[in-house]
């Protein structure tokens, strides 16, 4: 075999694709009831779009981006996430002129140069949502509730919703000072990344999963103790509203997200049924980002669901065998031509019909009908053509019925669930 797929990417084929479509359809339906509209944005952007927003010292920018020079010597990056390109598009298309909140969703591939492992890919798919223009914590509660509804609708169980507030640019400096004071004498126990993070972006130390670092940062001050009045009120109201809506959640004061742009609300959903890559969705508020990008000061909040993380959790419980409603086995060329004509007429009525073109015996045609999960089969031979009558066989119940060779007859039969 000469060519193989790259490391960390997947070919998504039938029947698995029906699991993907199932999730996408459920999500679309729920987005609609919340007024979120779909957007489709480019897969590549100027590299700056990500550096400015995700942060120069974030893992994504430091290690995970697919960045290359195009033939015009521009630095281009395959999007590692959806929010930064969204904010770029929001400003460029003046979406802030629409009535707030402006609500959008997207579905598509993201790219990160990470070490591939179970449920962690280099090309992976996210379903994401962004709501702009409202800073009221009720919107935070609403979007988290919507996320929980989507995850529930696709059949996920055993989820843990963790929420926190990571403050704003008023109160975060105080927190970072307290954190640095706490971490300072533990530096020797840090991994080399955290040694660097301590200087450039100490919040990131909290995100590190290296055992030595996990131990060293035990007992570090919780960020929620350092919130200013505005952030504290916002967080309290979010919790109250989540309780009122019966959205189960736990507060994790040590939750930090891998992206620099978050303010106030941050959340992560994990599943107890996944191994170490347990995060199925994550998100937060980004009230400073639009302004940072040169747009009008506009608050925003969003989340992204990782498709590859939820698919293994629901795959086995979904029925993925699909097959044609009618399979026609013709005997001879004249019958095959008539079969094609019948198939075309039924397809125009929206039925899934297949014709066997193998020109083989009934036995081997029937074997194929079985293989492709045909629901009903008819055999079309000289007698059938002459008498204009055929036997339609239901492959499940094995029931047989003689019907006139008239399109409406099959249509009726297939429709009546046969
Ligand atoms: P993780 O902690 O697993 O690296 P993350 O914090 O980097 O996740 P986000 O940037 O918040 O992830 O992306 C949102 C969601 O996208 C994650 O919760 C996860 O479900 C999914 N995701 C992120 N990176 C990958 C990947 N490399 N492969 C598959 N899914 C991913
Ligand atoms: Mg990551």
């Amino acid at each position: 075999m000469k060519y193989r797929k790259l490391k960390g990417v997947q070919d998504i084929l039938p029947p698995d694709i029906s699991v993907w479509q199932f999730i996408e359809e459920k999500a679309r339906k729920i987005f609609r009831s919340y007024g979120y509209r779909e957007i489709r944005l480019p897969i590549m952007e100027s590299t700056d779009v990500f550096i400015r927003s995700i942060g120069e010292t974030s893992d994504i920018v430091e290690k995970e981006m697919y960045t290359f020079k195009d033939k015009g010597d521009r630095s281009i990056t395959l999007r590692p996430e959806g929010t930064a390109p969204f904010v770029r598009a929001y400003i460029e298309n003046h979406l802030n002129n629409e009535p707030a909140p402006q609500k959008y969703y997207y579905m598509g591939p993201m790219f990160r140069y990470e070490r591939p492992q179970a449920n962690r890919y280099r090309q992976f798919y996210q379903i994401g949502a962004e709501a702009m223009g409202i800073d009221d914590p009720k919107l935070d509660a609403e979007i988290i509730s919507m996320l929980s509804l989507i995850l529930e609708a696709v059949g996920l169980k055993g989820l843990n919703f963790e929420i926190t507030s990571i403050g704003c640019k008023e109160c975060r400096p105080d927190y970072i000072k307290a954190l640095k004071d706490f971490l300072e004498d533990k530096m020797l126990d840090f991994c080399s990344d955290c040694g660097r993070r301590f200087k450039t972006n100490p919040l990131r130390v909290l995100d590190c999963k290296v055992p030595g670092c996990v131990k060293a940062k035990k007992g570090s001050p919780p960020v929620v103790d350092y919130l200013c009045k505005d952030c504290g009120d916002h967080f309290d109201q979010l919790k109250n509203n989540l309780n009122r809506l019966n959205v189960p959640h736990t507060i994790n004061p040590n939750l930090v997200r891998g992206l620099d742009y978050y303010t106030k609300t941050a959340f992560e959903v994990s599943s107890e049924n996944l191994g170490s890559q347990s995060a199925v969705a994550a998100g937060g508020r980004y009230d400073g980002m639009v302004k940072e990008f040169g747009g009008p000061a506009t608050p925003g909040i969003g989340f992204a669901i990782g498709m590859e993380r939820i698919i293994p959790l629901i795959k086995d419980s979904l029925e993925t065998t699909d097959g044609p409603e009618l399979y026609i086995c013709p005997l001879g060329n004249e019958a095959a031509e008539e079969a094609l004509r019948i198939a075309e007429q039924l397809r125009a009525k929206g039925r899934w019909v297949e014709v066997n073109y193998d020109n083989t015996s009934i036995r081997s045609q029937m074997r194929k009908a079985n293989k492709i999960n045909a629901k009903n089969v008819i055999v079309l031979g000289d007698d059938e053509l002459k008498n204009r009558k055929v036997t339609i066989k239901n492959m499940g119940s094995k029931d047989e019925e003689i019907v006139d060779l008239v399109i409406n007859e099959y249509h009726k039969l297939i429709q009546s669930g046969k």
Side-chain angles (χ1 to χ4, degrees):
M1 167 75 186
K2 199 166 167 193
Y3 301 112
R4 293 193 169 274
K5 63 179 185 295
L6 297 173
K7 225 169 126 177
V9 303
Q10 284 196 97
D11 299 321
I12 304 155
L13 310 172
D16 281 2
I17 200 77
S18 51
V19 184
W20 288 69
Q21 289 166 344
F22 167 80
I23 296 167
E24 288 161 3
E25 275 159 29
K26 290 278 184 204
R28 279 184 206 284
K29 217 163 151 196
I30 292 170
F31 282 137
R32 186 172 159 69
S33 64
Y34 280 79
Y36 284 71
R37 293 175 296 162
E38 185 174 5
I39 45 166
R40 299 190 189 186
L41 301 181
I43 278 166
M44 53 186 183
E45 296 276 348
S46 292
T47 302
D48 289 345
V49 168
F50 303 109
I51 297 182
R52 274 292 290 283
S53 53
I54 301 172
E56 204 133 15
T57 55
S58 64
D59 278 2
I60 292 181
V61 170
E62 273 184 346
K63 304 185 217 162
E64 298 174 359
M65 292 208 304
Y66 276 92
T67 296
F68 59 94
K69 284 276 174 71
D70 74 0
K71 290 194 168 32
D73 210 31
R74 299 171 198 91
S75 180
I76 309 280
T77 294
L78 300 184
R79 62 182 188 194
E81 56 102 50
T83 301
F86 165 71
V87 168
R88 193 268 309 139
Y90 177 82
I91 299 168
E92 193 168 336
N93 297 287
H94 309 290
L95 300 181
N96 58 300
N97 292 336
E98 312 253 318
Q102 302 101 17
K103 298 181 278 192
Y104 304 94
Y105 75 88
Y106 58 84
M107 299 178 174
M110 306 293 158
F111 304 85
R112 295 185 195 176
Y113 192 79
E114 300 197 73
R115 193 168 67 79
Q117 39 193 306
N119 309 322
R120 186 179 291 285
Y121 297 92
R122 289 181 171 172
Q123 174 172 342
F124 60 98
Y125 289 74
Q126 287 185 338
I127 297 181
E130 316 284 354
M132 307 301 290
I134 299 285
D135 59 9
D136 192 304
K138 286 194 276 300
L139 184 68
D140 305 31
E142 188 188 291
I143 201 170
I144 293 173
S145 176
M146 176 173 79
L147 171 60
S148 115
L149 199 62
I150 294 173
L151 298 176
E152 204 176 284
V154 301
L156 290 182
K157 299 202 172 62
L159 296 180
N160 185 15
F161 273 74
E162 292 178 299
I163 62 164
T164 193
S165 173
I166 54 171
C168 63
K169 67 175 191 313
E170 301 300 323
C171 50
R172 198 170 310 149
D174 287 347
Y175 175 64
I176 287 180
K177 187 173 173 308
L179 180 64
K180 276 190 117 164
D181 287 348
F182 175 85
L183 294 176
E184 189 140 39
D185 54 358
K186 300 172 181 69
M187 287 271 286
L188 286 177
D189 301 325
F190 288 170
C191 68
S192 61
D193 276 346
C194 280
R196 187 167 37 81
R197 288 174 184 139
F198 178 80
K199 291 194 198 86
T200 57
N201 196 343
L203 269 183
R204 292 255 179 275
V205 176
L206 296 178
D207 210 14
C208 182
K209 299 191 172 79
V210 175
C213 299
V214 172
K215 202 165 154 227
K217 69 198 179 199
K218 246 202 179 111
S220 63
V223 56
V224 287
D225 286 358
Y226 289 78
L227 300 179
C228 60
K229 178 153 185 346
D230 184 31
C231 289
D233 287 350
H234 189 102
F235 192 43
D236 286 342
Q237 287 186 51
L238 169 63
K239 289 182 285 189
N240 289 340
N241 279 296
L242 287 176
N243 286 332
R244 208 167 281 145
L245 298 175
N246 289 323
V247 179
H249 59 277
T250 54
I251 292 151
N252 178 356
N254 291 320
L255 178 69
V256 274
R257 308 278 310 111
L259 310 120
D260 271 359
Y261 51 65
Y262 284 122
T263 53
K264 293 184 177 159
T265 307
F267 51 93
E268 195 166 280
V269 188
S270 54
S271 165
E272 60 196 31
N273 305 319
L274 285 171
S276 50
Q277 302 342 305
S278 63
V280 297
R285 200 165 251 295
Y286 47 89
D287 289 348
M289 192 161 154
V290 178
K291 186 143 187 273
E292 183 75 13
F293 263 52
T298 312
I301 181 165
F303 67 72
I305 302 172
M307 287 290 273
E308 289 81 357
R309 303 277 170 93
I310 57 179
I311 279 162
L313 297 174
I314 60 169
K315 202 170 148 178
D316 293 342
S317 63
L318 287 180
E319 174 71 64
T320 51
T321 50
D322 209 1
E325 291 160 282
L326 183 66
Y327 192 74
I328 309 177
C329 304
L331 298 173
N333 189 45
E334 197 189 333
E337 282 173 352
E338 180 64 5
L340 170 60
R341 202 182 61 84
I342 294 169
E344 286 295 283
Q345 289 183 24
L346 285 169
R347 287 165 179 160
K349 289 180 184 288
R351 322 306 316 194
W352 177 4
V353 182
E354 300 281 347
V355 179
N356 183 298
Y357 292 128
D358 294 343
N359 196 17
T360 49
S361 68
I362 296 187
R363 256 184 72 135
S364 79
Q365 294 197 38
M366 289 301 265
R367 219 178 295 130
K368 202 162 184 179
N370 248 327
K371 228 179 206 161
I372 66 168
N373 292 311
K375 308 288 179 272
N376 299 286
V377 175
I378 58 174
V379 175
L380 213 52
D382 289 344
D383 286 351
E384 284 79 8
L385 285 179
K386 201 165 80 208
N387 304 328
R388 306 304 287 173
K389 285 205 184 292
V390 289
T391 305
I392 184 159
K393 179 175 182 182
N394 182 302
M395 300 296 275
S397 65
K398 308 282 178 218
D399 288 350
E400 294 189 358
E401 193 165 337
I402 297 175
V403 295
D404 290 332
L405 195 51
V406 178
I407 295 304
N408 272 345
E409 293 291 320
Y410 313 124
H411 192 51
K412 262 196 307 227
L413 277 174
I414 299 170
Q415 235 160 10
S416 70
K418 281 258 185 175

